[in-house]
Amino acid sequence: MPMFDYFKATLQQLGQKILPCRLCESSPRLKHYVLCKSCWQQLPWLKQPINRHELQIMAACYYHYPIDRILQQFKYEQKLHHQPLLDQLLAQIKHPKVQAIVPMPISDTRLIERGYNQSLLLAQQLAKKLNVPIWQPIHRLEQHSQKGLNRFERIQGIEQQFVVLEKPKIRYRKVLIIDDVVTTGSSIYALHQALQLLGCQQIYACCIAAVTDKVSKPVNNLDTTA
Ligand SMILES: [Zn+2]
Protein backbone atom coordinates (compact mmCIF):
# COMPACT_ATOMS: atom_id res chain seq x y z
CA MET A 1 0.00 0.00 0.00
CA PRO A 2 1.49 3.42 -0.89
CA MET A 3 2.45 5.49 2.15
CA PHE A 4 -0.17 8.17 1.55
CA ASP A 5 -2.98 5.63 1.29
CA TYR A 6 -1.73 3.94 4.42
CA PHE A 7 -1.91 7.18 6.40
CA LYS A 8 -5.27 8.02 4.94
CA ALA A 9 -6.66 4.63 5.94
CA THR A 10 -5.20 4.93 9.43
CA LEU A 11 -6.63 8.41 9.87
CA GLN A 12 -10.00 7.18 8.70
CA GLN A 13 -9.90 4.37 11.20
CA LEU A 14 -8.96 6.78 13.96
CA GLY A 15 -11.70 9.12 12.83
CA GLN A 16 -14.22 6.34 13.17
CA LYS A 17 -13.21 5.90 16.77
CA ILE A 18 -12.81 9.42 18.05
CA LEU A 19 -15.45 11.45 16.20
CA PRO A 20 -17.80 12.90 18.79
CA CYS A 21 -21.49 12.11 19.09
CA ARG A 22 -23.46 14.18 16.59
CA LEU A 23 -25.98 15.26 19.19
CA CYS A 24 -24.19 15.90 22.46
CA GLU A 25 -20.60 16.02 21.16
CA SER A 26 -19.39 13.71 23.89
CA SER A 27 -16.65 11.37 22.77
CA PRO A 28 -15.72 8.73 22.10
CA ARG A 29 -18.89 7.45 20.61
CA LEU A 30 -19.34 3.75 20.79
CA LYS A 31 -21.65 1.29 19.22
CA HIS A 32 -24.02 3.36 17.16
CA TYR A 33 -21.73 5.01 14.67
CA VAL A 34 -22.83 8.63 14.87
CA LEU A 35 -24.44 8.80 18.30
CA CYS A 36 -23.29 8.01 21.80
CA LYS A 37 -25.18 5.32 23.66
CA SER A 38 -27.16 7.74 25.77
CA CYS A 39 -28.36 9.88 22.84
CA TRP A 40 -29.24 6.72 20.93
CA GLN A 41 -31.35 5.45 23.81
CA GLN A 42 -33.10 8.79 24.17
CA LEU A 43 -34.29 8.93 20.57
CA PRO A 44 -38.09 9.05 20.25
CA TRP A 45 -38.36 5.36 19.44
CA LEU A 46 -41.58 3.88 18.18
CA LYS A 47 -40.58 0.64 16.40
CA GLN A 48 -44.23 -0.25 15.89
CA PRO A 49 -46.77 -0.08 13.12
CA ILE A 50 -49.13 2.86 12.87
CA ASN A 51 -52.49 2.56 11.13
CA ARG A 52 -53.34 4.83 8.23
CA HIS A 53 -56.14 4.26 5.70
CA GLU A 54 -56.45 0.68 6.97
CA LEU A 55 -52.79 0.09 6.19
CA GLN A 56 -50.13 -0.76 8.71
CA ILE A 57 -47.00 1.31 8.33
CA MET A 58 -43.99 0.35 10.37
CA ALA A 59 -42.27 3.38 11.90
CA ALA A 60 -38.88 3.52 13.56
CA CYS A 61 -39.50 6.72 15.52
CA TYR A 62 -42.01 9.37 16.39
CA TYR A 63 -41.58 12.57 14.43
CA HIS A 64 -40.22 14.29 17.50
CA TYR A 65 -37.02 16.07 18.37
CA PRO A 66 -34.28 15.45 17.31
CA ILE A 67 -35.51 13.15 14.52
CA ASP A 68 -37.81 15.84 13.08
CA ARG A 69 -34.91 18.30 12.79
CA ILE A 70 -32.60 15.68 11.33
CA LEU A 71 -35.17 14.64 8.73
CA GLN A 72 -35.90 18.24 7.76
CA GLN A 73 -32.20 18.91 7.28
CA PHE A 74 -31.77 15.71 5.32
CA LYS A 75 -34.69 16.51 3.05
CA TYR A 76 -34.59 20.27 2.60
CA GLU A 77 -31.06 21.38 3.45
CA GLN A 78 -28.94 18.80 1.64
CA LYS A 79 -27.51 17.57 4.95
CA LEU A 80 -26.83 14.15 3.52
CA HIS A 81 -24.32 13.37 6.23
CA HIS A 82 -27.33 12.38 8.35
CA GLN A 83 -27.91 9.35 6.22
CA PRO A 84 -25.85 6.82 8.23
CA LEU A 85 -27.97 7.60 11.29
CA LEU A 86 -31.21 7.33 9.32
CA ASP A 87 -30.06 4.03 7.81
CA GLN A 88 -29.46 2.73 11.29
CA LEU A 89 -32.91 3.80 12.42
CA LEU A 90 -34.47 1.87 9.55
CA ALA A 91 -32.29 -1.10 10.42
CA GLN A 92 -33.93 -1.26 13.87
CA ILE A 93 -37.22 -2.31 12.30
CA LYS A 94 -37.89 -5.94 11.59
CA HIS A 95 -38.49 -6.01 7.85
CA PRO A 96 -40.64 -8.57 6.06
CA LYS A 97 -39.19 -10.78 3.37
CA VAL A 98 -39.84 -8.99 0.09
CA GLN A 99 -38.70 -9.22 -3.52
CA ALA A 100 -38.06 -5.52 -4.02
CA ILE A 101 -38.06 -2.14 -2.33
CA VAL A 102 -40.16 0.71 -3.66
CA PRO A 103 -39.06 4.19 -2.55
CA MET A 104 -41.79 6.81 -2.29
CA PRO A 105 -41.50 8.67 -5.61
CA ILE A 106 -41.29 12.46 -5.85
CA SER A 107 -42.30 14.57 -8.83
CA ASP A 108 -39.73 15.66 -11.42
CA THR A 109 -40.06 19.27 -10.28
CA ARG A 110 -39.27 18.30 -6.69
CA LEU A 111 -36.40 16.16 -7.89
CA ILE A 112 -34.88 19.05 -9.83
CA GLU A 113 -35.39 21.46 -6.93
CA ARG A 114 -33.90 19.12 -4.36
CA GLY A 115 -31.40 17.22 -6.47
CA TYR A 116 -32.30 13.85 -4.96
CA ASN A 117 -35.16 11.76 -3.70
CA GLN A 118 -34.53 11.31 0.01
CA SER A 119 -36.59 8.11 0.13
CA LEU A 120 -34.58 6.61 -2.71
CA LEU A 121 -31.35 7.26 -0.79
CA LEU A 122 -32.75 5.44 2.23
CA ALA A 123 -34.17 2.66 0.07
CA GLN A 124 -30.83 2.07 -1.63
CA GLN A 125 -29.09 1.34 1.66
CA LEU A 126 -31.87 -0.90 2.89
CA ALA A 127 -31.96 -2.74 -0.44
CA LYS A 128 -28.26 -3.44 -0.09
CA LYS A 129 -28.76 -4.70 3.42
CA LEU A 130 -31.70 -6.94 2.50
CA ASN A 131 -30.06 -7.91 -0.77
CA VAL A 132 -33.06 -7.09 -2.96
CA PRO A 133 -33.43 -4.67 -5.88
CA ILE A 134 -34.95 -1.21 -5.92
CA TRP A 135 -38.10 -1.05 -8.01
CA GLN A 136 -39.57 2.22 -9.26
CA PRO A 137 -42.49 1.39 -11.55
CA ILE A 138 -44.69 4.27 -10.43
CA HIS A 139 -44.16 7.85 -11.51
CA ARG A 140 -45.33 10.79 -9.45
CA LEU A 141 -46.92 13.75 -11.18
CA GLU A 142 -46.96 17.32 -9.98
CA GLN A 143 -49.16 18.03 -7.04
CA HIS A 144 -51.89 20.55 -7.77
CA SER A 145 -53.03 22.94 -5.09
CA GLN A 146 -55.18 21.16 -2.52
CA LYS A 147 -56.76 24.38 -1.32
CA GLY A 148 -60.52 24.32 -0.90
CA LEU A 149 -60.77 20.58 -1.43
CA ASN A 150 -62.48 18.32 1.06
CA ARG A 151 -60.79 15.27 2.52
CA PHE A 152 -62.16 12.91 -0.11
CA GLU A 153 -61.12 15.19 -2.98
CA ARG A 154 -57.68 15.57 -1.46
CA ILE A 155 -57.18 11.82 -1.26
CA GLN A 156 -58.45 11.47 -4.82
CA GLY A 157 -56.04 14.21 -5.91
CA ILE A 158 -53.13 12.37 -4.34
CA GLU A 159 -54.17 9.08 -5.97
CA GLN A 160 -54.14 10.73 -9.36
CA GLN A 161 -50.50 11.74 -8.88
CA PHE A 162 -49.30 8.15 -8.96
CA VAL A 163 -49.18 6.77 -12.47
CA VAL A 164 -47.49 4.03 -14.44
CA LEU A 165 -45.78 5.67 -17.42
CA GLU A 166 -44.32 2.57 -18.91
CA LYS A 167 -45.35 -1.00 -18.21
CA PRO A 168 -42.53 -2.52 -16.18
CA LYS A 169 -40.76 -5.53 -17.65
CA ILE A 170 -40.39 -7.20 -14.30
CA ARG A 171 -43.22 -7.33 -11.83
CA TYR A 172 -42.73 -8.12 -8.19
CA ARG A 173 -45.45 -9.54 -5.99
CA LYS A 174 -44.06 -8.76 -2.56
CA VAL A 175 -42.67 -5.31 -2.02
CA LEU A 176 -41.72 -2.90 0.74
CA ILE A 177 -42.46 0.82 0.39
CA ILE A 178 -40.00 3.20 2.03
CA ASP A 179 -40.92 6.74 3.01
CA ASP A 180 -39.15 9.21 5.26
CA VAL A 181 -42.07 10.73 7.16
CA VAL A 182 -45.68 9.61 7.35
CA THR A 183 -48.39 12.03 8.42
CA THR A 184 -51.83 11.19 7.05
CA GLY A 185 -50.51 8.22 5.10
CA SER A 186 -52.34 9.37 1.96
CA SER A 187 -49.31 9.11 -0.31
CA ILE A 188 -48.47 5.62 0.95
CA TYR A 189 -52.11 4.65 0.43
CA ALA A 190 -52.07 6.03 -3.13
CA LEU A 191 -48.78 4.30 -3.96
CA HIS A 192 -50.19 1.11 -2.44
CA GLN A 193 -53.23 1.34 -4.74
CA ALA A 194 -51.06 1.91 -7.81
CA LEU A 195 -48.85 -1.07 -6.92
CA GLN A 196 -51.90 -3.25 -6.44
CA LEU A 197 -53.06 -2.34 -9.93
CA LEU A 198 -49.69 -3.55 -11.16
CA GLY A 199 -50.34 -6.92 -9.56
CA CYS A 200 -48.50 -6.63 -6.26
CA GLN A 201 -50.08 -8.92 -3.72
CA GLN A 202 -48.19 -8.22 -0.55
CA ILE A 203 -47.30 -4.61 -0.01
CA TYR A 204 -45.60 -3.55 3.18
CA ALA A 205 -44.62 -0.04 4.16
CA CYS A 206 -42.17 1.49 6.57
CA CYS A 207 -40.89 4.93 7.43
CA ILE A 208 -38.32 6.61 9.59
CA ALA A 209 -40.78 8.74 11.51
CA ALA A 210 -44.51 8.94 12.09
CA VAL A 211 -46.39 12.11 12.90
CA THR A 212 -48.92 11.12 15.54
CA ASP A 213 -51.39 12.94 17.73
CA LYS A 214 -49.73 11.51 20.78
CA VAL A 215 -48.56 14.18 23.23
CA SER A 216 -44.98 15.17 22.49
CA LYS A 217 -42.22 13.82 24.61
CA PRO A 218 -40.46 16.48 26.68
CA VAL A 219 -37.98 18.33 24.53
CA ASN A 220 -34.41 18.08 25.66
CA ASN A 221 -31.73 20.58 24.86
CA LEU A 222 -29.60 18.57 22.49
CA ASP A 223 -28.15 20.50 19.63
CA THR A 224 -28.46 19.01 16.17
CA THR A 225 -26.66 21.74 14.30
CA ALA A 226 -23.39 19.78 14.38
ZN1 LIG B 1 -24.57 11.90 22.53
Side-chain angles (χ1 to χ4, degrees):
M1 190 192 277
M3 210 48 155
F4 175 72
D5 287 344
Y6 172 78
F7 280 124
K8 213 169 104 184
T10 312
L11 277 174
Q12 273 169 356
Q13 274 171 15
L14 279 172
Q16 294 283 332
K17 280 179 195 137
I18 59 171
L19 273 180
C21 166
R22 281 262 165 82
L23 289 176
C24 69
E25 300 197 338
S26 75
S27 58
R29 65 185 188 212
L30 300 164
K31 199 174 149 202
H32 295 292
Y33 186 55
V34 291
L35 297 189
C36 71
K37 199 175 164 193
S38 152
C39 287
W40 176 260
Q41 284 169 347
Q42 284 178 55
L43 290 177
W45 291 111
L46 179 57
K47 293 193 213 175
Q48 274 180 37
I50 52 160
N51 291 303
R52 297 286 187 276
H53 299 275
E54 291 161 30
L55 297 177
Q56 287 211 324
I57 303 164
M58 201 57 195
C61 292
Y62 289 104
Y63 191 65
H64 290 169
Y65 189 85
I67 298 301
D68 51 357
R69 287 280 310 277
I70 291 171
L71 280 168
Q72 285 158 19
Q73 292 178 351
F74 182 63
K75 190 164 170 177
Y76 301 114
E77 299 169 28
Q78 281 80 40
K79 301 250 165 93
L80 298 180
H81 66 275
H82 288 315
Q83 186 166 354
L85 171 60
L86 300 176
D87 292 338
Q88 284 180 353
L89 298 181
L90 267 188
Q92 302 308 307
I93 299 176
K94 200 166 180 286
H95 295 290
K97 271 217 155 88
V98 290
Q99 297 164 314
I101 293 190
V102 180
M104 176 58 68
I106 59 175
S107 71
D108 289 348
T109 315
R110 286 271 166 84
L111 187 61
I112 291 164
E113 259 167 33
R114 199 172 291 164
Y116 54 94
N117 172 355
Q118 73 284 352
S119 298
L120 174 60
L121 297 181
L122 299 170
Q124 279 166 336
Q125 277 309 311
L126 189 65
K128 238 186 243 173
K129 187 174 166 265
L130 302 180
N131 199 22
V132 291
I134 296 277
W135 192 38
Q136 301 186 86
I138 313 286
H139 198 81
R140 189 164 184 175
L141 305 176
E142 213 53 54
Q143 181 170 15
H144 295 293
S145 171
Q146 302 269 49
K147 266 188 196 158
L149 300 181
N150 65 32
R151 186 172 172 270
F152 176 72
E153 290 166 332
R154 273 206 306 272
I155 292 171
Q156 214 177 24
I158 293 173
E159 278 176 27
Q160 285 161 1
Q161 287 173 35
F162 292 82
V163 294
V164 179
L165 288 187
E166 206 178 303
K167 285 207 168 153
K169 285 183 196 114
I170 306 175
R171 294 191 187 200
Y172 296 101
R173 301 271 172 215
K174 276 187 191 182
V175 299
L176 173 64
I177 297 173
I178 301 280
D179 202 354
D180 54 347
V181 181
V182 170
T183 309
T184 64
S186 298
S187 13
I188 287 200
Y189 178 71
L191 179 56
H192 187 279
Q193 301 288 92
L195 288 168
Q196 257 182 344
L197 287 177
L198 271 183
C200 289
Q201 287 164 347
Q202 280 170 282
I203 306 167
Y204 302 91
C206 74
C207 65
I208 301 272
V211 180
T212 60
D213 297 334
K214 204 171 159 261
V215 182
S216 297
K217 282 190 169 185
V219 171
N220 54 30
N221 58 0
L222 301 175
D223 180 19
T224 56
T225 53

PDB file of all heavy atoms in Angstrom, residues 21 23-26 35-36 39, ligand 1:
ATOM      1  N   CYS A  21     -20.068  12.356  19.333  1.00  0.00           N
ATOM      2  CA  CYS A  21     -21.487  12.107  19.085  1.00  0.00           C
ATOM      3  C   CYS A  21     -22.079  13.324  18.379  1.00  0.00           C
ATOM      4  O   CYS A  21     -21.826  14.457  18.773  1.00  0.00           O
ATOM      5  CB  CYS A  21     -22.182  11.870  20.417  1.00  0.00           C
ATOM      6  SG  CYS A  21     -23.961  11.935  20.316  1.00  0.00           S
ATOM      7  N   LEU A  23     -24.980  14.496  18.453  1.00  0.00           N
ATOM      8  CA  LEU A  23     -25.980  15.262  19.187  1.00  0.00           C
ATOM      9  C   LEU A  23     -25.404  15.979  20.400  1.00  0.00           C
ATOM     10  O   LEU A  23     -25.633  17.151  20.591  1.00  0.00           O
ATOM     11  CB  LEU A  23     -27.129  14.355  19.618  1.00  0.00           C
ATOM     12  CG  LEU A  23     -28.039  13.879  18.487  1.00  0.00           C
ATOM     13  CD1 LEU A  23     -29.082  12.922  19.024  1.00  0.00           C
ATOM     14  CD2 LEU A  23     -28.710  15.046  17.793  1.00  0.00           C
ATOM     15  N   CYS A  24     -24.649  15.264  21.220  1.00  0.00           N
ATOM     16  CA  CYS A  24     -24.193  15.900  22.463  1.00  0.00           C
ATOM     17  C   CYS A  24     -22.702  16.224  22.416  1.00  0.00           C
ATOM     18  O   CYS A  24     -22.174  16.839  23.334  1.00  0.00           O
ATOM     19  CB  CYS A  24     -24.502  15.017  23.653  1.00  0.00           C
ATOM     20  SG  CYS A  24     -23.501  13.533  23.681  1.00  0.00           S
ATOM     21  N   GLU A  25     -22.026  15.775  21.358  1.00  0.00           N
ATOM     22  CA  GLU A  25     -20.601  16.021  21.163  1.00  0.00           C
ATOM     23  C   GLU A  25     -19.703  15.370  22.206  1.00  0.00           C
ATOM     24  O   GLU A  25     -18.539  15.705  22.313  1.00  0.00           O
ATOM     25  CB  GLU A  25     -20.320  17.525  21.050  1.00  0.00           C
ATOM     26  CG  GLU A  25     -21.088  18.100  19.878  1.00  0.00           C
ATOM     27  CD  GLU A  25     -20.593  19.445  19.420  1.00  0.00           C
ATOM     28  OE1 GLU A  25     -19.947  20.129  20.227  1.00  0.00           O
ATOM     29  OE2 GLU A  25     -20.849  19.789  18.264  1.00  0.00           O
ATOM     30  N   SER A  26     -20.253  14.458  22.998  1.00  0.00           N
ATOM     31  CA  SER A  26     -19.386  13.708  23.893  1.00  0.00           C
ATOM     32  C   SER A  26     -18.571  12.747  23.042  1.00  0.00           C
ATOM     33  O   SER A  26     -18.978  12.408  21.945  1.00  0.00           O
ATOM     34  CB  SER A  26     -20.206  12.928  24.916  1.00  0.00           C
ATOM     35  OG  SER A  26     -20.796  11.802  24.294  1.00  0.00           O
ATOM     36  N   LEU A  35     -23.918   8.330  17.020  1.00  0.00           N
ATOM     37  CA  LEU A  35     -24.443   8.804  18.298  1.00  0.00           C
ATOM     38  C   LEU A  35     -23.826   8.039  19.461  1.00  0.00           C
ATOM     39  O   LEU A  35     -23.482   6.870  19.331  1.00  0.00           O
ATOM     40  CB  LEU A  35     -25.970   8.599  18.365  1.00  0.00           C
ATOM     41  CG  LEU A  35     -26.841   9.342  17.366  1.00  0.00           C
ATOM     42  CD1 LEU A  35     -28.294   9.160  17.754  1.00  0.00           C
ATOM     43  CD2 LEU A  35     -26.495  10.811  17.297  1.00  0.00           C
ATOM     44  N   CYS A  36     -23.728   8.729  20.606  1.00  0.00           N
ATOM     45  CA  CYS A  36     -23.291   8.010  21.801  1.00  0.00           C
ATOM     46  C   CYS A  36     -24.465   7.172  22.303  1.00  0.00           C
ATOM     47  O   CYS A  36     -25.606   7.364  21.873  1.00  0.00           O
ATOM     48  CB  CYS A  36     -22.829   8.990  22.878  1.00  0.00           C
ATOM     49  SG  CYS A  36     -24.167   9.935  23.618  1.00  0.00           S
ATOM     50  N   CYS A  39     -27.524   9.177  23.818  1.00  0.00           N
ATOM     51  CA  CYS A  39     -28.364   9.881  22.839  1.00  0.00           C
ATOM     52  C   CYS A  39     -29.184   8.880  22.022  1.00  0.00           C
ATOM     53  O   CYS A  39     -30.340   9.126  21.697  1.00  0.00           O
ATOM     54  CB  CYS A  39     -27.521  10.736  21.901  1.00  0.00           C
ATOM     55  SG  CYS A  39     -26.881  12.202  22.716  1.00  0.00           S
TER      56      CYS A  39
HETATM   57 ZN    ZN B   1     -24.572  11.897  22.533  1.00  0.00          ZN
END
